């Protein structure tokens, strides 16, 4: 392979989560920042190692809930008090206790939709193409292999050093990730 | 069709059927080729008569008849279908040429969309009920009573209400037929005129007329004229529900026929010897009597009259009695004698009666003696002459005659005893004396006493050399099979005529619409035999009254009479009569073992005349709540002896759960018993009827028709098939329990009030002790305790607040309100199967409850329309707001918004909502479209419906008031009584009162102010606008003590 | 082969030791292959075709019944006045109830960190969706005019200017059920994404790879993604938990809000929720037991799972039993004539036999679950679950019909008899449900692979 054309990053493959986590920690200490791990199931330690602690999904969920709640109740109020007020069985127009169930359901609906689509948006999914799939054997990421990818965008990234660095953490193999 | 026969009428006669000349042969071929399957059916049914069969052989040479050809049969069916549809459509534009003008020249008083009311009258039995008929663009849509006429006072009975449906019935006979083949009127006229010539020659020998009893003066005069021209002709009368006993009784008492007229409003004590004057129109004057009698029970504070009833077959009259004893028919006369003896009738006495009866007699007699001149003894119309005579004697002895009871000449023209009359006719026929028989209306083959063999007799006539039978009838019925000529009869709403109400007042009949099916009135048929054939009913009527009302103001007088619907001052004057009671033959001793078979007209089908009327078929019988079948009442005791299911009442709650299932099920499987009378048998569903005497069974007439319309076909059993001459209303026979069962469609399965007390009742004394007896302070929520806002303060219910009060004291359970509602609100008929499934559609139902000893229970009727609750449970649960409240407090039903979740019905504590589970409304039959009330939506499938307080009438009144600019302090001022709901208007007892509860002076407001006023299920806090006045009866303290 | 495993796995461990959550000897690879294998297998087993064929037939019957219903009207059913609601509403409540266990397992047990849920939550959620789909049919079909009810119950502007009547519990139903379906679908959907990725990567043919590739939306197991994914999953669990409780509470309000004796009671919501979970776990067992047997999944759905479900069934069953007794007690204690009438109607009325069968199915039969032997014997559990399922259907029948047939005025008391069309619809939905479930097993991983991996010992990070 020629080093002339740019690559996405350098990918190390491990056969157990422990090595992956150690490698990731080491990479972080080594000053690498632009990197990511790929695992068949959530490995929290790895996430921490590559510095993915916080996310804004919860905030989006709250906003969705509030919108749903307010929307639901105001719809009921407008419909029964303003738009078409009518005597139904002698009940008051603004029969708030009767409006609670729908309000609640709307809140839950808003929250759930916001959460799911918020999460997907933040993850940039759906995503038809991504370079990491070019790595041979990456399909193991959804089976029993664990990957650490240091991206070429990282200022400390250099073909030789990064490869050496990764190989020093007994991976199964290390390979370049072409665009 | 060959006109060969027209040219020479005589050819129509049976001579034609001799071995024939060539050209006759061709005629017959044509005849034959024209005949459909229809004709042959007749043959099959008559073929067992050898002579007749032979005659047919001769008339139809082998091979000449093409009745097997499928094409002609199909064509026939096509034509039959088409003609019916056309007849219906044609009705849209056809008006009678007199009075009512065609649309192209619009009469100034016709405003499209506004109904016009015409006065007319409905002939029923031998008298008439005066009516106002609502017509929309000259289509009669609703019948109301004539308020100015004493016989109606604005009320009607259920038969009058249902007669609208009869008018439009697509099953009515549609064309003139000769031996089953359609023929033009001209040909018929020709043929009959031929007969007239023939009979002119022989002075009318062999000419016979058979009609129902009639009270029409014009018709009477025509018959008189015929008697002149044909001195040897005879006029026979027959109606199956006759009152021969009463007739003979009056002769026995007074030496002549008189009709009694009762003044119940003037009577403090009424003793009824099976006189069911509160049950139905077969008791002349029922509508008026119910009003009069109940006028004395409306306000207990003003005192009440008292009613003693001794009755055989339970009736609604017995249900309203303060003291009722169920007695067997044979005991009744003994009771009458005992009573008569006690009130001082000479020659009476000798009645053997048991202790209970003795007690009843003593109490009744004592009461009668205390109220001389202010009491009435009412004999049953279906009983022995002796009983009626005794009653007349008692009234005389008590000084009631002339006070509370007056006597007038019979309203029936030339009154006869019907059994005698029909027997003479049959004897003459059997003696071969009858050649021409004109049968007008009625259905003798079906309802003449079975042992007279009327059908066979008619066969003799038609098969005789020179025999001819002409039938004028509304339907093609059993008799039509035997008729040489069948002519469709005009409905009373299609014809001119006159008749008398029960008090003798002449009422005039105007046609609301030209005959839909080209029918002819009785007068028009009879006219053929007079010197001016083919003259119109109008001309005859007018001519007759011209002769009666001589005077130059005739035109004004005539117009006024037509407008009013009756002729002023034509009520029969009371006759001064004295009962000369000779020796009354002693009644036969009571045989305790004999089973008495009682015959009564059906409460909703009468004698069978209304058999094809869907509204009446679906109207529950007042006491059994059964529909679509007639049952046989037996006493609960007998039912127990037979060991089958017994109706639940307070007295008997059957333990066996299986039986409870029956009681609960809308379809009530009844054991079938076989009745044997004079060796004739009929299988009938036995109905254990609380209050029915033991050792007796009551059969109801009018069902089990062999030939009727699509509605009545297959319903019930034929009681006529065991009704011999000797046992017209009661006979002695035997009962045999069979293995079979018979499913009866009932609209109510539980007759006990359980713990619910929907009906609050008390005796007069209890009422006076505690006027609040109908209220239970613990259960009734106060106005205050509610979380709901008071909509009055929000400005609702300000203008008008509609409400209804129903007086349970007055309601006689006659069902007139239910049928009126069917007519007014275009309610669908669902049929027996759907009723069995619990899907009947009536908007106002009458609940019947029994309390106490099933052998002699107290009975309560409770009409239930929509309660129009202010806190309506139905509204809150509707997801689409299809039922909501109006500013006038009505619980409105928005049909086009309803999606049919039925949640509202589930949540209705009164279950007054009705649902179109299928497409119940008839959208296809054209003629029925004419009948609909254009102001009321015809509901489609999947939509909930219910009583609206006749909102269309409310709106009409409001618009009317606005047009006349009637406003008081800003709100439209609708006068009290200006709006009458259909049920209120029909009610003979004036039990239903509707009005504005905001107006303190309105009748309804005043009734609701009474202490008796209560609301059903008040503990549910629905705050109904429909409330009830608790029932208060007036038992005799003497009997109470015992 | 299936039976062999059955024997060695389903043998009870010595006393005091509970069966494992995952059978011994499973690795990340075997888990993937075993579960993914069902979907990617070249040859579909014969029993699958037989079952699906039968279900398709029943599905056809369902469609016939519906077509005739739309043609003739709701009158072809047994409903009448006074019993305006019959089979349709009974089935609706029954199916909705069945749905509940799915969400409960996936959401509530997740919040309680119940690891064992992972191997059954996927198909339990699927069961929820399919059950709610059946349930959703009935409220629509039972209306007189479904073609209008289909959209008039939603707040859509109409020319009439009228809106849904928000005081009606039926409207609450519309919102509750549709929300429930949506949320359950999302929950199930995002759970599937990583497994779709697995199938994509282990697919043998291009077509299959493409299809699952699209469904996986480009999932690559990135740590950052996993992090947000986990948060979202937890949040959904937190939302679904009150939701699942609210749904059957709202359904119970359809009755509790009405004035009808037997419906108008305040304790319906907890009573209904307990009943729902009761029947839900019965259905989970009725699906899990044949599934693990047919596909040899005893390693992943072990006796432990069955036992836990059985215990939950027993617990909820006891709550249900308590509700029944309270219902009767309150009826008697209130001394209200209508309530007393109701008690009498249930014990001595024309339908009393229904009530007693119900008591046997829901109170007496489940008591057998106290026995460890019963809890650990699949086929007995299956039969008990079936009895419970029947009982829960009868419970709804008793609530709907035995309250309406004798309510306030004796004059309007009546009976309810269902017709063959009622039966065809009920059985048809059962077929439809099973059809959907077996299609799901065939084309989607019936057990959450990614979550199961996390449970394996070798998936832990060692220090």
């Amino acid at each position: 392979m020629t080093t002339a054309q740019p690559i996405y990053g350098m990918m190390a493959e491990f056969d157990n989560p422990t090595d992956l986590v150690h490698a990731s920690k080491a990479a972080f200490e080594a000053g690498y920042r632009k990197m990511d791990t790929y695992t068949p199931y959530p490995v929290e330690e790895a996430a921490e190692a590559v510095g993915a602690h916080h996310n804004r999904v919860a905030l989006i969920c709250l906003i969705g809930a509030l919108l749903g709640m307010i929307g639901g109740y105001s719809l009921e109020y407008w419909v029964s008090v303003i738009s078409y007020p009518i005597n139904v069985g002698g009940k008051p127009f603004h029969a708030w206790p009767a409006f609670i169930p729908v309000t609640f359901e709307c809140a839950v609906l808003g929250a759930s939709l916001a959460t799911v689509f918020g999460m997907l948006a933040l993850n940039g999914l759906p995503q038809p193409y991504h370079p990491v799939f070019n790595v041979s054997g990456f399909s193991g990421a959804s089976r029993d292999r664990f990957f650490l990818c240091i991206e070429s965008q990282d200022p400390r990234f250099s073909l030789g050093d990064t490869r050496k660095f990764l190989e020093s953490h007994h991976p199964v193999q290390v390979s370049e990730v072409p665009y | 069709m060959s006109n060969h026969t027209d040219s020479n009428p005589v050819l129509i006669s049976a001579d034609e059927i001799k071995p024939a000349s060539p050209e006759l042969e061709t005629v017959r071929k044509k005849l034959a080729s024209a005949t459909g399957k229809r004709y042959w059916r007749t043959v099959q049914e008559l073929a067992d008569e050898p002579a007749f069969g032979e005659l047919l052989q001769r008339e139809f040479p082998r091979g000449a008849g093409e009745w097997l050809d499928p094409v002609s049969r199909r064509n026939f069916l096509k034509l039959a279908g088409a003609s019916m549809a056309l007849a219906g459509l044609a009705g849209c534009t056809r008006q009678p040429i007199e009075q009512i003008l065609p649309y192209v020249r619009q009469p100034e008083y016709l405003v499209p969309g506004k109904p016009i009311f015409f006065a007319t009258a409905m002939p029923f039995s031998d008298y008439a009920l005066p009516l106002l008929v609502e017509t929309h663009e000259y289509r009669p849509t609703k019948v109301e009573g004539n308020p100015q006429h004493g016989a109606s006072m604005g009320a009607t009975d259920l038969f009058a209400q249902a007669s609208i449906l009869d008018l439009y019935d697509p099953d009515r006979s549609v064309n003139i037929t000769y031996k089953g083949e359609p023929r033009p009127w001209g040909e018929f006229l020709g043929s009959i005129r031929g007969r007239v010539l023939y009979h002119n020659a022989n002075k009318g020998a062999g000419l016979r007329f058979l009609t129902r009893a009639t009270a029409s003066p014009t018709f009477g005069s025509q018959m008189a004229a015929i008697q002149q021209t044909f001195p040897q002709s005879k006029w026979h009368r027959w109606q199956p529900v006759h009152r021969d006993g009463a007739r003979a009784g009056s002769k026995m008492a007074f030496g002549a026929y008189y009709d009694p007229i009762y003044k119940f409003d003037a009577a403090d004590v009424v003793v009824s010897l099976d006189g069911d004057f509160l049950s139905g129109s077969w008791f002349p004057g029922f509508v008026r009597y119910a009003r009069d009698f109940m006028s004395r029970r409306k306000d207990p504070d003003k005192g009440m009259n008292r009613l003693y009833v001794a009755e055989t077959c339970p009736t609604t009259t017995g249900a309203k009695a303060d003291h009722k004893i169920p007695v067997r028919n044979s005991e009744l006369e003994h009771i009458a004698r005992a009573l008569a003896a006690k009130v001082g009738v000479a020659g009476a006495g000798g009645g053997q009666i048991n202790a209970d009866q003795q007690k009843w007699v003593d109490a009744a007699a004592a009461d009668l003696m205390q109220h001389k001149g202010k009491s009435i003894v009412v004999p049953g119309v279906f009983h022995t002459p002796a009983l009626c005579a005794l009653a007349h004697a008692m009234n005389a002895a008590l000084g009631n005659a002339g006070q509370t009871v007056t006597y007038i000449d019979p309203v029936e023209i030339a009154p006869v005893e019907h059994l005698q009359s029909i027997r003479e006719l049959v004897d003459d026929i059997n003696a071969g004396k009858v050649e021409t028989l004109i049968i007008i209306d009625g259905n003798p083959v079906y309802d003449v006493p079975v042992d007279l063999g009327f059908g066979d007799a008619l066969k003799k006539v038609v098969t005789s050399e020179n025999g001819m039978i002409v039938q004028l009838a509304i339907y093609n019925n059993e008799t039509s099979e035997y008729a040489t000529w069948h002519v469709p009869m005009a409905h009373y709403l299609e014809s001119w005529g006159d008749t008398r109400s029960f008090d003798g007042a002449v009422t005039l009949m105007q046609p609301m619409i030209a005959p839909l099916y080209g029918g002819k009135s009785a007068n028009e048929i009879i006219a053929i035999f007079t010197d001016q054939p083919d003259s119109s009913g109008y001309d005859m009527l007018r001519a007759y009254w011209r002769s009666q009302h001589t005077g130059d103001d005739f035109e004004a007088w005539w117009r006024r009479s037509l407008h009013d619907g009756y002729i002023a001052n034509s009520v029969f004057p009371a006759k001064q009569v004295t009962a000369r009671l000779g020796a009354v033959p002693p009644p036969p001793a009571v045989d305790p073992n004999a089973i008495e078979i009682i015959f009564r007209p059906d409460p909703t089908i009468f004698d069978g005349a209304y058999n094809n009327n869907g509204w009446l078929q679906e109207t529950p019988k007042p006491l059994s709540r059964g529909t679509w079948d007639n049952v046989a009442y037996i006493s609960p005791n007998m039912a127990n002896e037979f060991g089958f299911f017994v109706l639940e009442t307070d007295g008997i709650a059957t333990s066996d759960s299986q039986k409870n299932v029956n009681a609960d099920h809308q379809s009530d499987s009844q054991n079938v018993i076989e009745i044997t009378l004079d060796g004739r048998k009929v299988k009938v569903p036995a109905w254990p009827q609380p209050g029915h005497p033991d050792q007796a069974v009551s059969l109801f007439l009018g069902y089990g028709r062999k030939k009727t319309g699509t509605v009545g076909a297959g319903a019930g059993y034929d009681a006529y098939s065991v009704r011999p001459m000797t046992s017209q209303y009661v006979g002695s026979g035997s009962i045999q329990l069979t293995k079979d069962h018979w499913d009866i469609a009932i609209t109510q399965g539980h007759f006990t009030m359980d713990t619910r007390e929907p009906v609050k009742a008390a005796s007069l004394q209890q009422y006076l002790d505690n006027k609040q007896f109908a209220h239970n302070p613990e259960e009734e929520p106060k106005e205050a305790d509610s979380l709901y806002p008071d909509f009055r303060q929000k400005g609702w219910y300000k203008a008008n607040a509609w409400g209804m009060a129903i007086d349970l004291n007055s309601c006689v359970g006659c069902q007139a309100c239910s049928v009126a509602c069917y007519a007014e609100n275009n309610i669908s008929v669902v049929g027996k199967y759907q009723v069995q499934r619990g899907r009947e559609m009536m908007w106002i139902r009458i609940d019947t409850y029994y309390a106490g000893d099933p052998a002699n229970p107290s009975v309560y009727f409770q009409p239930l329309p929509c309660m129009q609750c202010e806190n309506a449970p139905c509204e809150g649960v509707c997801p689409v707001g299809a039922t909501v409240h109006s500013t006038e407090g009505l619980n409105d039903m928005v049909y086009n918004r309803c999606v049919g979740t039925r949640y509202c019905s589930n949540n209705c504590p009164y279950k007054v909502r009705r649902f179109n589970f299928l497409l119940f409304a008839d959208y296809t039959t054209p003629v029925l479209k004419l009948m609909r009330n254009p102001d009321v939506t015809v509901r489609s499938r999947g939509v909930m419906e219910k009583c609206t307080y006749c909102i269309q009438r409310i709106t009409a009144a409001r618009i009317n008031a606005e047009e006349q600019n009637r406003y008081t302090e800003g709100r439209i001022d609708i006068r009290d009584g200006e709006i009458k709901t259909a049920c209120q208007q029909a009610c003979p007892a004036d039990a239903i009162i509707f009005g504005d509860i905001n107006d303190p002076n309105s009748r309804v407001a005043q009734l609701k102010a009474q202490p008796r006023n209560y609301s059903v299920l008040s503990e549910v806090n629905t705050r109904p606008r429909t409330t009830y006045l608790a029932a208060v009866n007036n038992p005799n303290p003497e009997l109470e003590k015992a | 082969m299936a039976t062999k495993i059955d024997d060695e796995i389903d043998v009870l461990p010595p006393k005091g030791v509970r069966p494992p959550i995952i059978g011994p000897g499973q690795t990340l690879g075997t888990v993937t292959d075993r579960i993914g294998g069902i979907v990617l297998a070249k040859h579909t087993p014969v029993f699958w075709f037989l079952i699906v064929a039968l279900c398709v037939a029943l599905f056809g019957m369902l469609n016939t019944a519906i077509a005739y219903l739309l043609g003739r009207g709701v009158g072809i059913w047994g409903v009448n006045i006074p019993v305006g609601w019959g089979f349709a509403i009974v089935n609706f409540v029954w199916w909705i109830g069945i749905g509940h266990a799915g969400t409960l397992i996936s959401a509530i047990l997740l919040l309680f960190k119940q690891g064992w849920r992972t191997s059954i939550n996927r198909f339990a959620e699927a069961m929820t969706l399919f059950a709610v789909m059946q349930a959703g049919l009935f409220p629509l079909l039972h209306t007189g005019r479904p073609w209008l009810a289909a959209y008039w119950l939603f707040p859509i502007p109409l020319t009439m200017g009228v809106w849904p009547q928000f005081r009606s519990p039926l409207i609450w139903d519309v919102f509750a059920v549709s929300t429930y379906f949506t949320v359950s679908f999302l929950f199930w959907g995002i759970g599937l994404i990583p497994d779709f990725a697995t199938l994509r990567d282990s697919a043998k043919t291009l077509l299959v790879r493409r299809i699952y590739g699209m469904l996986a939306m480009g999932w690559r197991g990135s740590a950052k993604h996993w992090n947000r994914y986990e948060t979202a999953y937890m949040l959904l669990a937190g939302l679904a938990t009150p939701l699942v409780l609210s749904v059957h509470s709202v359904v119970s309000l359809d009755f509790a809000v009405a004035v009808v004796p037997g419906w108008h009671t305040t304790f319906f919501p907890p009573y209904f929720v307990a009943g729902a979970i009761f029947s839900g776990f019965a259905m989970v067992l009725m699906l899990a037991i044949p599934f693990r047997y047919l596909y040899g999944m005893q390693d992943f759905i072990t006796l432990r799972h069955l036992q836990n479900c059985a215990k939950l069934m027993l617990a909820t069953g006891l709550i249900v039993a308590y509700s029944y007794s309270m219902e009767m007690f309150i009826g008697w204690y209130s001394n209200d004539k209508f309530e007393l009438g109701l008690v009498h109607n249930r014990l001595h009325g024309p339908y009393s036999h229904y009530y007693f069968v119900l008591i046997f199915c829901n109170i007496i039969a489940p008591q057998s679950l106290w026995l460890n032997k019963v809890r650990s014997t699949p086929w007995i559990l299956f039969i008990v679950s079936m009895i419970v399922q029947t009982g829960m259907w009868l419970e709804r029948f008793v609530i709907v019909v035995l309250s309406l047939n004798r309510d306030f005025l004796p004059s309007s008391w009546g009976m309810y008899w269902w017709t063959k069309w009622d039966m065809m619809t009920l059985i048809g939905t059962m077929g439809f449900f099973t059809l959907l479930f077996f299609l799901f097993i065939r084309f989607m991983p019936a057990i959450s692979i990614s979550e199961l991996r996390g449970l394996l010992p070798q998936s832990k990070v060692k220090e």
Side-chain angles (χ1 to χ4, degrees), chain A:
Chain A
M1 77 188 50
T2 62
T3 61
Q5 69 198 81
I7 58 167
Y8 172 78
M10 193 68 72
M11 172 90 78
E13 174 180 354
F14 304 88
D15 59 4
N16 67 74
T18 318
D19 292 348
L20 172 76
V21 172
H22 291 156
S24 320
K25 285 206 174 114
F28 195 81
E29 286 151 11
Y32 290 106
R33 290 292 176 273
K34 285 203 178 329
M35 55 183 176
D36 201 347
T37 67
Y38 303 91
T39 51
Y41 56 90
V43 180
E44 284 175 26
E45 298 84 344
E48 287 165 10
V50 298
H53 304 290
H54 305 295
N55 60 60
R56 298 197 301 286
V57 176
L59 178 64
I60 296 172
C61 170
L62 176 66
I63 295 168
L66 290 173
L67 286 179
M69 189 171 76
I70 297 163
Y73 196 92
S74 43
L75 170 75
E76 294 180 275
Y77 184 87
W78 180 76
V79 159
S80 345
V81 182
I82 298 163
S83 164
Y84 205 133
I86 191 156
N87 176 350
V88 171
K91 291 187 167 75
F93 297 141
H94 183 202
W96 66 266
F99 295 168
I100 297 304
V102 171
T103 311
F104 171 80
E105 303 297 340
C106 290
V108 173
L109 187 61
S112 317
L113 292 170
T115 311
V116 171
F117 291 105
M119 181 270 289
L120 291 176
L122 291 172
N123 285 352
L125 299 175
Q127 189 172 16
Y129 172 78
H130 194 280
V132 293
F133 287 100
N134 301 337
V135 175
S136 68
F138 184 77
S139 63
S142 66
R143 180 178 168 81
D144 52 1
R145 288 287 185 273
F146 304 81
F147 295 85
L148 171 62
C149 178
I150 299 177
E151 296 159 20
S152 57
Q153 302 299 319
D154 190 277
R156 299 176 133 278
F157 181 88
S158 80
L159 277 176
D161 304 352
T162 311
R163 175 180 281 275
K164 279 199 194 57
F165 170 82
L166 287 173
E167 280 169 347
S168 66
H169 289 84
H170 27 271
V172 178
Q173 64 158 354
V174 176
S175 46
E176 295 178 1
V177 185
Y179 274 111

Side-chain angles (χ1 to χ4, degrees), chain B residues 664-665 839 847 877 903 941, chain C residues 70 77 168 254 406 411 417:
Chain B
D664 235 338
H665 199 348
R839 294 168 179 177
D847 288 346
V877 297
Y903 200 173
R941 158 193 150 191
Chain C
L70 296 177
W77 290 350
S168 165
D254 289 349
R406 292 186 170 188
S411 60
W417 307 116

Side-chain angles (χ1 to χ4, degrees), chain B residues 664-665 756 779 837 839 847 876-879 895-903 906-907 911 917 941 1019, chain C residues 70-71 75 77 79-81 84-85 142-145 152 165 168 254 258-260 337 406-408 410-411 417:
Chain B
D664 235 338
H665 199 348
R756 270 70 162 152
E779 284 188 342
R837 280 208 150 308
R839 294 168 179 177
D847 288 346
V877 297
C878 176
Y895 300 128
N896 58 346
R897 177 67 175 168
C898 177
V899 299
T901 67
R902 302 185 297 288
Y903 200 173
N906 291 348
N907 211 27
K911 290 285 174 287
F917 286 92
R941 158 193 150 191
E1019 55 270 50
Chain C
L70 296 177
W77 290 350
V79 283
N80 58 26
I81 310 288
W85 286 353
H142 100 290
T143 61
R145 305 201 287 178
W152 278 3
Q165 205 275 99
S168 165
D254 289 349
V259 300
V260 180
K337 55 190 170 206
R406 292 186 170 188
D407 61 349
F408 290 96
S411 60
W417 307 116

Side-chain angles (χ1 to χ4, degrees), chain B residues 70 132 188 192 441 461 475 507 598 617 634 667 681 726 815 1009:
Chain B
L132 291 183
F188 168 74
I192 302 302
D441 202 1
V461 178
Y475 290 100
T507 58
I598 304 169
Q617 284 281 12
I634 61 174
S667 159
K681 297 178 184 302
T726 50
Q815 299 284 354

Side-chain angles (χ1 to χ4, degrees), chain B residues 803-830:
Chain B
M804 183 180 276
I806 299 180
D807 183 359
L808 296 179
N809 243 17
S810 304
C811 175
V812 296
C814 71
Q815 299 284 354
C817 50
S818 297
V819 185
C821 191
Y822 268 88
E824 173 71 16
N825 293 303
N826 301 334
I827 298 176
S828 312
V829 173
V830 299

